[in-house]
Amino acid sequence: MAINKESNGFTFGFAITLVVVVGAVLALLAMGLKPMREQNAKVKKQLDILSAMLDLEKEGINRQNAASEFEKYINLDEAVVLDMNGNVKEGVNAFDVDIQTEYKDKKLKDTDKNYPLFVAKQDGKTLYIIPIVGKGLWGPIWGNVCLDEDMATIKGASFGHKGETPGLGAEIQQKFFIDRWIGEKISDENGDFLKFEIVKDGSGKDPQKVDGITGGTITSKGVEEMANRCLSVYAAYFKTLKTKE
Amino acid sequence: MSESLFSKKNRKLITDPLTDNNPVTVQVLGICSALAITVQVNQAIVMGLSVIFVTMMGNVVISMLRNLIPSRIRIIVQLVVVAALVIVVDQVLAAFLPDLSAKLSVFVGLIITNCIIMGRLEAFAMANKPWPSLLDGFGNGLGYAGLLVLVAVFRELFGSGTLLGFTIFGNSLPGEESGLYAMGYTNNNMMILPPMALIIVGVIIWVQRLRNKELQEDH
C-alpha cells in the first residue's frame, strides 16, 4: 500500500498527529516537574524576604539552607495579613499570599487585596519586612522593605524586576540604589504616613527624597509609586499598634 | 555497504564545525545569542549544552521522520520539533537550575530562532540517516558552544576578573582590594557590554581567516 505523502489528507493527518504527540509529551513533562518548580518558587520567596534584612552573600545564605535560615529569623506565626486600610485580616496565611498575582489581577477589588507583613528577629531586635509590588517600564517590579523596630525607619530593602533595561532601570536591584532608601522614614512621630519622592536634582539627601537612576526614570518612578501605595497601608497599621500601646 | 560508526567521513561531521566550518565564525550564524549570554562562563556553558541537546535531538527526530514529512509543511514540522525540544530544556532548567534559568531568561526560549538549528535540520537532517545527523548536530552544537565559552572566558576574565565565579585577579571590592587590584588594576567595564562580544567574535574570525587562507573571501 503506497501512501501519497504529498496528498492533502496525509499532510493534515501528519500535522495533527505531530501536534498531539508533542503536546502530550510537553504536558506530561510540565506536570512531572511542577512540584520542583513550586519548591523553587517558595525558596526564592524566602530568599527575597531575607534579602531585605541581610546581605545574603555575606551570611552565606543560599538555596540549600534557605529554609532553615528563614525559620531562624522569621516566625511565620507572628506574620499578619492586612487589608488596604491597614486592618488585620484573619484566616489568611501571610506566606501564601502572592501579591504579584493579586496586583496583576484586574478583577480583584482593591478592598480584597492582601497585604502581608513578616516579623523578624535579629540580635534581639524586632524587624518588620514588607513585600511590595508595582509596575516598571517593561513589566512588574517588586521588592521587600525592612523596617527597624521603631516601625518607621527603613533598615534595608531589596528590589527585583522582570525585564527592566539592563544598565538603566535594572539598576534598581543594585546596592547603590537600595542604600539611598536606607534611613528614610515611612511615618512621622504621630505615625502618619510620609510620602516618598524620587528626585532628579540630586536632593536625595533630604528626608523623604530619593535620587532616581539616570536613564531609568520610569522604573524609578515605578519604585516611588510602589513604595507609596504599599507602605501607606502598613503605616496605618503601625499607627493603630502604637496608639494601642 | 555498512559503514563503521566512526568512519573518517563521520568523524569529519564532528570536527569540521569545530574548525573550518564553524557555524558562528565561518557561517556567521547564531551571532545574536553569542552577544547576549557570554558575560559569564557558566551561563555560556549551560547555553552551549542546551543548544547541543537541541541540535542533536532535533537532527535525529527530523532525520527519522525525513521520509514521512510532507515537503509542503516541512519547515513548520521542523519548527514544532525544535520548539518542543526548547521547551523541554527550559522546563528542566527551571526545575533543576532555577537561578541560572532566571539569568538566561528569554534566551533559552530564543534557541528556537537560532539559525544554526534550523540550518542543520534543513541542510543535513532532511537528507541523511539518524546516526550521521546525530553527529552533525553534536558537531555544530559543540562548535557553537565552544565559541560561546571562548568569548565568555575573555569577557568574564577581563570584565569581572573572575572565571566560573572564582576570583582570578584578587578581590576588587572597594576598600579591601587585593592581588592585581591592589596594584591599581581595574576591570574593563566595556567587556560587560554586548558590543564587546561582537568585537571579540570579530577578532576570532580575523585570526581564524589569517591562519587559514582558504576561508578568506575574494571579494
Side-chain angles (χ1 to χ4, degrees):
Chain A
M1 186 186 74
I3 306 169
N4 176 11
K5 67 172 190 140
E6 298 306 326
S7 74
N8 284 341
F10 183 83
T11 306
F12 272 110
F14 186 90
I16 290 167
T17 316
L18 182 78
V19 169
V20 169
V21 170
V22 167
V25 169
L26 291 183
L28 277 177
L29 183 83
M31 271 163 58
L33 294 176
K34 203 175 171 210
M36 307 183 79
R37 283 207 316 273
E38 280 171 354
Q39 174 64 20
N40 287 338
K42 188 180 157 198
V43 170
K44 182 88 186 73
K45 196 167 177 182
Q46 291 173 334
L47 289 176
D48 277 352
I49 293 172
L50 283 180
S51 68
M53 54 182 282
L54 299 163
D55 185 340
L56 295 184
E57 220 168 294
K58 231 181 232 167
E59 304 284 332
I61 301 175
N62 50 36
R63 282 187 175 272
Q64 275 73 43
N65 59 15
S68 60
E69 293 286 331
F70 188 77
E71 273 173 26
K72 200 160 93 190
Y73 290 105
I74 293 169
N75 183 358
L76 282 180
D77 294 336
E78 289 178 43
V80 289
V81 175
L82 311 175
D83 66 11
M84 66 175 294
N85 298 318
N87 302 315
V88 178
K89 265 184 165 180
E90 296 296 334
V92 191
N93 186 338
F95 193 77
D96 292 339
V97 175
D98 184 350
I99 54 169
Q100 285 187 43
T101 316
E102 287 187 7
Y103 179 70
K104 269 189 292 189
D105 191 347
K106 295 265 180 334
K107 286 191 205 122
L108 194 69
K109 275 183 278 173
D110 282 348
T111 46
D112 289 338
K113 286 186 178 157
N114 295 308
Y115 292 87
L117 171 68
F118 300 98
V119 182
K121 290 267 189 311
Q122 188 190 20
D123 306 331
K125 279 206 290 189
T126 309
L127 306 173
Y128 302 87
I129 299 178
I130 301 168
I132 56 179
V133 62
K135 198 162 82 238
L137 174 58
W138 304 113
I141 54 176
W142 59 86
N144 287 282
V145 176
C146 176
L147 298 185
D148 219 332
E149 54 185 348
D150 65 356
M151 302 178 191
T153 314
I154 295 180
K155 189 176 174 291
S158 66
F159 296 111
H161 67 93
K162 179 117 185 267
E164 298 307 301
T165 321
L168 303 175
E171 299 285 295
I172 56 167
Q173 332 188 357
Q174 301 290 336
K175 194 172 176 300
F176 77 86
F177 183 67
I178 292 164
D179 284 347
R180 293 175 186 172
W181 289 84
I182 293 172
E184 301 282 344
K185 287 191 188 310
I186 72 160
S187 55
D188 59 17
E189 303 86 59
N190 302 325
D192 289 319
F193 177 66
L194 293 171
K195 246 181 158 178
F196 292 103
E197 194 190 349
I198 294 270
V199 292
K200 289 184 174 182
D201 56 5
S203 60
K205 292 263 183 306
D206 301 351
Q208 305 316 123
K209 285 188 181 176
V210 176
D211 284 322
I213 294 172
T214 311
T217 304
I218 298 176
T219 312
S220 306
K221 281 284 172 192
V223 177
E224 172 191 294
E225 189 273 338
M226 158 169 94
N228 284 333
R229 177 171 39 77
C230 296
L231 293 178
S232 61
V233 172
Y234 296 91
Y237 169 69
F238 289 134
K239 189 176 180 182
T240 57
L241 275 193
K242 280 180 190 165
T243 44
K244 255 187 228 162
E245 275 168 10
Chain B
M1 183 194 81
S2 74
E3 225 181 312
S4 77
L5 287 183
F6 287 102
S7 63
K8 200 170 172 218
K9 204 172 116 212
N10 282 345
R11 282 205 307 272
K12 249 179 103 61
L13 289 175
I14 297 185
T15 53
D16 259 8
L18 297 184
T19 53
D20 292 346
N21 204 7
N22 188 284
V24 185
T25 60
V26 179
Q27 298 169 20
V28 198
L29 297 173
I31 291 288
C32 356
S33 49
L35 304 188
I37 27 86
T38 49
V39 177
Q40 286 173 353
V41 176
N42 59 352
Q43 285 180 32
I45 291 175
V46 172
M47 184 71 177
L49 289 176
S50 309
V51 170
I52 292 176
F53 172 79
V54 175
T55 49
M56 271 170 74
M57 297 308 292
N59 263 8
V60 170
V61 172
I62 291 297
S63 170
M64 289 196 295
L65 295 174
R66 72 186 186 283
N67 293 325
L68 278 175
I69 299 174
S71 60
R72 273 182 293 176
I73 57 165
R74 65 175 200 286
I75 300 283
I76 298 176
V77 171
Q78 292 166 8
L79 257 182
V80 170
V81 170
V82 174
L85 289 168
V86 168
I87 295 171
V88 169
V89 170
D90 199 23
Q91 295 267 337
V92 170
L93 283 182
F96 294 101
L97 297 167
D99 288 327
L100 255 176
S101 162
K103 263 191 199 143
L104 293 172
S105 66
V106 325
F107 294 108
V108 173
L110 284 179
I111 296 177
I112 297 172
T113 62
N114 192 319
C115 348
I116 299 170
I117 295 166
M118 289 293 279
R120 292 331 290 169
L121 294 182
E122 181 69 6
F124 197 90
M126 285 300 281
N128 286 283
K129 292 203 176 109
W131 175 248
S133 299
L134 180 95
L135 296 179
D136 179 78
F138 179 70
N140 277 282
L142 199 63
Y144 171 82
L147 190 100
L148 225 59
V149 172
L150 185 63
V151 175
V153 164
F154 279 106
R155 291 184 72 188
E156 189 177 341
L157 186 61
F158 296 109
S160 322
T162 59
L163 273 182
L164 285 168
F166 296 105
T167 51
I168 302 290
F169 293 154
N171 193 343
S172 66
L173 280 179
E176 32 188 297
E177 287 102 334
S178 66
L180 274 182
Y181 296 102
M183 290 183 254
Y185 173 82
T186 51
N187 286 324
N188 185 348
N189 287 335
M190 180 87 174
M191 282 286 180
I192 307 279
L193 302 174
M196 209 55 206
L198 249 193
I199 295 174
I200 295 173
V201 173
V203 169
I204 294 172
I205 291 177
W206 175 48
V207 170
Q208 190 183 18
R209 286 178 199 214
L210 209 60
R211 288 165 56 104
N212 188 346
K213 295 262 188 287
E214 278 172 32
L215 293 176
Q216 294 177 9
E217 289 91 351
D218 294 328
H219 47 82

